[in-house]
Amino acid sequence: MSTPDRRQFLIAAAASVGASLVMTGPAGAATNVRGIARDRFPEGVASADPQPDNVLLWTRCPPRTGRAADLQVEVSEYDDFRTVIAHDQVTPLTEADWTCRVLVGGLKPSTTYWYRFIDADGYASRTGRTFTAPNERDTAPVRFAFVSCQNINIGHATPLRRMLVEDMARPEAEQLQFVLHLGDFIYEMIWSPADQPQVQGRTVNEIGPLPTGRRVGTIQVPTTIEDYRHVYRAYLADRDIQDARARWPFICIWDNHEFSNRCFQSQINYDDPVPAQSLKVAANQAWFEYIPARVTGTTDGLRRFLPPEVSDTPLVDIDDHGLSHEPNNLAAINSLSVYRALRWGANVELILTDNRSFKSQSVAEQNIAAPFMPRGFPWYAPQDVIEVLDAGRDYPGGAPDTLTYNGEAVPNPARDKPAGSILGQRQKQWFKERLAGSTARWKLWGNSFGMLHRRTDFQNLPDGFEPKWPSAGYALSGTDDWCGYPAERRELLNFAKDQGVTNLVSLVGDRHAFFAGYLSPDLPPQDYAPVAVEFVVGSISTPSVFQAAEAALPLDRPLSPFYLARKNGEGPVLPAMNMAVRYGVDSCREYARSGDIEAAKSVRNPDVAPHLAFADQGGHGFAILTATPDDLRVEFIGTVRPDHPATTPDGIEVSYRITHRVAPWAKGKQPRLEHLGTEGHADLVTDL
């Protein structure tokens, strides 16, 4: 496309999305600013979703006199703005909580740019740095970070400070090009130190109270858009989060806490499940205002969100994919569509899915599953039962009339129900088309839910052990993510296999843990045949699975060795749960007896987790991905617990670095992960 044609294309694109368009032109002089006034731009600046020749810029500038005033935006190839290549005006909107967006076009691919906003008094925002995507034929290495789950109410975002410091120390050619944020940018559940000074051993930081929030036990949760806006402003006041958004363009997807814990579609589920279409619309609007992204919905393009009028109505008229066609539900969940794909040169296509807005209720949370949830085994459910209940009438070979549980034949309550769905019919079709049609070397699925099974063999506990596992099959941890929707999980992985999709890598947050491994439609005792690879990143600051167990479970229970351990009964508590999901109960029992890792490994059950290459359910930190035509590498950077503010310029101490590599694989072949090396140490992780 010629330059004039491309310019007209960008102008038309900007008009279609309703964004202010700034086109580059001849370099000119910068505005003579009076100084930098961060207090006038209290949430800083951000850029998002870069393309080879354009990028989206963002800021918030509340008025000082009660009236909106135009801002100047400037873009330069120099951090001192010695010359400016793009300059225009943009107006923060009161109905958008004084946020604004600018689409800057006419840029060069694979280039660093600097930008700032200037108010009517001549005071500038902090300077932001962004980076444009390469052209589709560019085979240069792609390097970015992926992160998830930052809770500053009961933690600190200090791993982001470590990421910033390390990146600035690298040569420019090796620096990160963007950050993929996989959800839980905020947590809508707000603790107050006045009500509960500590949560899971952590000091509660005051970020409330919410303007109109309601009480659920000891927490506050939002009831209006002002509550959500309050939380975003609190998070963006955090120095580490704000500095990260100023240094890199972010590509974001949401998880649940941007709306509500345990949510699905427009329903919330704190104390009792209730419809909350009005709250879903409010959450979508606040996300749109504070998370710049190329999204669609009931919006004036990218300029502002236009909230539809909805009423809170029970979810009825549910289709065979679990989606309620109740009009208010459809209006709420479709008010913002965030699933999308972005290309990054010849090497990477990012395919981002929305795993919350269209999903059916997890079968494990439905009343029909209650009789099959074992007591005494926290966070575990019988995998064989979940497989049958989730698949319903679509169970392979036909739905059984009964399930065996506690040695008895129990009627199958799901034999006439449709299978569960996370993506919903329309998004799933889109996802399959993007996956099968991608020409990028690596298809990277930005996936807020994990597909790697976390399971152990409680069925192999010795006779007489109490409590007794009630099933003949494996124990499955995590029934709200893909492993709790095994029918659709299997459908998607079989689709990738049948369509010959290669080099598919799932990048995941949500789990508050690090995992690396292979994705197979089934695990032993069924056929095990990997078709993709998955990397799960630990949380930035949300308490890990291990920390939750450490706070909730005593060490003297019969089941404690499968969750927690002390070597030879002494020293710190260790995450035996890592051994449980990698090697099984016999390994955990041997380690509890001897404290000997090698002895524990010698009695492992190889069928528990042939798919897992790495598991650390106690880890925090971030991950760095590098993609080239020849391989894809992921480095996990695990940090100590972010329980306290940073005491050094580096932000937080690194516990370990572990790198895995996967080479491209051909159609009909299976992927192969290589462990390239480990620096540092993680308890009951690197020793195994």
Side-chain angles (χ1 to χ4, degrees):
M1 183 178 287
S2 67
T3 301
D5 288 344
R6 183 62 185 164
R7 180 182 180 90
Q8 292 304 314
F9 173 81
L10 280 169
I11 292 172
S16 69
V17 299
S20 300
L21 174 68
V22 180
M23 292 293 295
T24 58
T31 301
N32 186 20
V33 301
R34 298 175 64 181
I36 296 174
R38 290 196 181 190
D39 61 312
R40 298 188 178 209
F41 304 85
E43 288 72 39
V45 298
S47 64
D49 288 13
Q51 300 291 312
D53 54 2
N54 64 93
V55 68
L56 193 61
L57 307 181
W58 175 97
T59 195
R60 178 175 182 267
C61 185
R64 301 175 66 82
T65 61
R67 292 188 307 169
D70 287 344
L71 304 176
Q72 304 294 320
V73 59
E74 293 185 336
V75 179
S76 176
E77 294 185 67
Y78 305 97
D79 60 359
D80 62 0
F81 292 87
R82 69 189 73 165
T83 58
V84 169
I85 59 169
H87 180 283
D88 208 344
Q89 289 186 341
V90 62
T91 304
L93 301 175
T94 179
E95 60 268 37
D97 201 27
W98 309 109
T99 62
C100 59
R101 291 163 181 74
V102 178
L103 183 65
V104 182
L107 302 174
K108 295 182 291 187
S110 299
T111 302
T112 301
Y113 289 97
W114 307 85
Y115 63 95
R116 64 185 178 185
F117 294 85
I118 304 166
D119 73 6
D121 296 327
Y123 288 98
S125 68
R126 65 178 302 161
T127 296
R129 171 184 175 271
T130 193
F131 193 86
T132 49
N135 287 322
E136 281 196 15
R137 294 185 297 275
D138 192 333
T139 61
V142 180
R143 184 176 172 87
F144 65 90
F146 58 101
V147 300
S148 178
C149 303
Q150 54 198 32
N151 190 325
I152 64 167
N153 190 200
I154 51 174
H156 298 271
T158 44
L160 291 178
R161 176 61 46 192
R162 166 65 64 170
M163 195 166 82
L164 284 156
V165 170
E166 291 190 1
D167 194 56
M168 288 186 282
R170 294 188 186 100
E172 185 174 359
E174 298 176 12
Q175 292 177 355
L176 302 177
Q177 295 157 348
F178 62 91
V179 174
L180 172 63
H181 200 297
L182 291 161
D184 290 345
F185 191 96
I186 63 165
Y187 279 73
E188 91 296 358
M189 303 163 61
I190 306 299
W191 282 271
S192 170
D195 298 325
Q196 190 170 347
Q198 288 198 328
V199 173
Q200 296 182 0
R202 295 187 177 193
T203 299
V204 173
N205 306 310
E206 183 66 85
I207 65 170
L210 299 179
T212 59
R214 71 178 178 95
R215 290 277 180 180
V216 178
T218 59
I219 62 171
Q220 266 195 311
V221 298
T223 61
T224 65
I225 188 173
E226 290 305 323
D227 291 337
Y228 285 108
R229 287 168 169 170
H230 174 94
V231 180
Y232 278 104
R233 291 195 292 265
Y235 272 65
L236 291 176
D238 181 272
R239 173 186 171 223
D240 299 326
I241 297 174
Q242 188 178 129
D243 286 359
R245 294 226 304 181
R247 178 165 177 81
W248 299 293
F250 270 56
I251 297 172
C252 295
I253 199 72
W254 59 40
D255 192 24
N256 57 336
H257 288 286
E258 288 89 349
F259 171 33
S260 176
N261 185 41
R262 299 170 62 200
C263 62
F264 64 95
Q265 298 178 47
S266 61
Q267 181 151 301
I268 62 174
N269 197 12
Y270 293 113
D271 31 26
D272 294 306
V274 294
Q277 285 89 342
S278 59
L279 197 63
K280 173 65 172 172
V281 169
N284 283 2
Q285 179 170 351
W287 193 91
F288 178 87
E289 291 170 350
Y290 281 89
I291 307 293
R294 297 173 190 265
V295 294
T296 59
T298 56
T299 65
D300 178 9
L302 294 176
R303 187 166 177 261
R304 60 178 175 172
F305 185 89
L306 304 173
E309 292 189 10
V310 295
S311 61
D312 297 334
T313 307
L315 304 190
V316 295
D317 189 14
I318 296 174
D319 67 18
D320 283 350
H321 301 270
L323 178 67
S324 167
H325 286 258
E326 193 282 318
N328 293 280
N329 182 58
L330 292 180
I333 63 178
N334 290 314
S335 64
L336 203 60
S337 180
V338 301
Y339 62 87
R340 61 200 190 279
L342 297 97
R343 186 66 179 257
W344 203 273
N347 289 321
V348 163
E349 180 163 12
L350 274 175
I351 306 174
L352 311 177
T353 56
D354 178 352
N355 294 352
R356 292 287 180 179
S357 298
F358 308 101
K359 86 180 185 84
S360 60
Q361 185 180 23
S362 166
V363 71
E365 291 193 343
Q366 296 176 29
N367 292 334
I368 62 171
F372 302 97
M373 294 296 107
R375 295 187 178 183
F377 295 87
W379 304 306
Y380 282 100
Q383 183 179 353
D384 52 1
V385 170
I386 295 298
E387 291 271 358
V388 173
L389 295 183
D390 170 71
R393 61 176 180 247
D394 299 322
Y395 188 77
D401 292 331
T402 61
L403 297 91
T404 301
Y405 189 77
N406 272 328
E408 299 180 359
V410 181
N412 176 9
R415 60 184 177 273
D416 297 321
K417 294 173 65 68
S421 175
I422 284 179
L423 298 183
Q425 184 179 22
R426 185 177 65 181
Q427 182 182 200
K428 183 161 57 178
Q429 183 61 34
W430 170 87
F431 176 71
K432 288 179 176 180
E433 291 171 357
R434 294 297 309 199
L435 201 58
S438 177
T439 59
R441 183 62 156 174
W442 298 98
K443 277 70 71 176
L444 304 185
W445 182 6
N447 182 9
S448 64
F449 285 174
M451 278 193 164
L452 286 172
H453 283 88
R454 295 164 289 174
R455 67 178 195 170
T456 196
D457 55 346
F458 283 142
Q459 74 272 25
N460 290 335
L461 288 171
D463 291 341
F465 192 97
E466 292 295 335
K468 180 178 174 59
W469 182 246
S471 164
Y474 285 92
L476 178 68
S477 176
T479 54
D480 188 45
D481 63 12
W482 280 107
C483 297
Y485 295 75
E488 189 168 71
R489 178 189 182 279
R490 186 177 293 110
E491 175 191 350
L492 293 175
L493 293 178
N494 279 330
F495 173 84
K497 179 186 67 175
D498 295 342
Q499 294 295 313
V501 175
T502 60
N503 307 330
L504 170 61
V505 179
S506 172
L507 306 178
V508 177
D510 178 64
R511 286 188 171 179
H512 311 168
F514 286 101
F515 285 91
Y518 301 98
L519 297 180
S520 169
D522 293 290
L523 292 178
Q526 283 74 41
D527 292 339
Y528 173 59
V531 299
V533 171
E534 181 163 279
F535 296 96
V536 183
V537 66
S539 69
I540 289 292
S541 53
T542 309
S544 67
V545 180
F546 169 48
Q547 190 168 10
E550 191 179 5
L553 303 179
L555 279 166
D556 57 355
R557 298 169 66 250
L559 286 170
S560 290
F562 314 118
Y563 295 85
L564 309 170
R566 274 199 173 104
K567 187 172 184 178
N568 299 322
E570 300 177 349
V573 179
L574 305 175
M577 55 179 56
N578 292 333
M579 267 195 297
V581 300
R582 290 196 69 187
Y583 297 116
V585 298
D586 286 346
S587 289
C588 293
R589 294 176 67 229
E590 174 58 33
Y591 186 79
R593 185 191 68 80
S594 67
D596 186 328
I597 286 290
E598 293 306 315
K601 289 168 64 176
S602 71
V603 294
R604 62 183 290 191
N605 178 355
D607 287 341
V608 168
H611 61 297
L612 287 183
F614 182 78
D616 177 15
Q617 298 184 83
H620 296 278
F622 55 96
I624 293 177
L625 183 149
T626 304
T628 72
D630 299 323
D631 66 11
L632 181 143
R633 303 183 184 211
V634 172
E635 180 185 21
F636 289 154
I637 296 90
T639 72
V640 299
R641 289 179 179 175
D643 295 352
H644 306 288
T647 57
T648 69
D650 291 340
I652 196 168
E653 180 183 351
V654 171
S655 300
Y656 63 82
R657 302 172 189 272
I658 182 166
T659 303
H660 290 89
R661 173 185 182 271
V662 59
W665 65 93
K667 181 179 178 180
K669 301 296 183 180
Q670 294 182 2
R672 191 170 78 87
L673 274 173
E674 297 178 66
H675 173 211
L676 296 184
T678 300
E679 299 177 15
H681 175 81
D683 292 317
L684 298 188
V685 177
T686 53
D687 283 342
L688 294 177

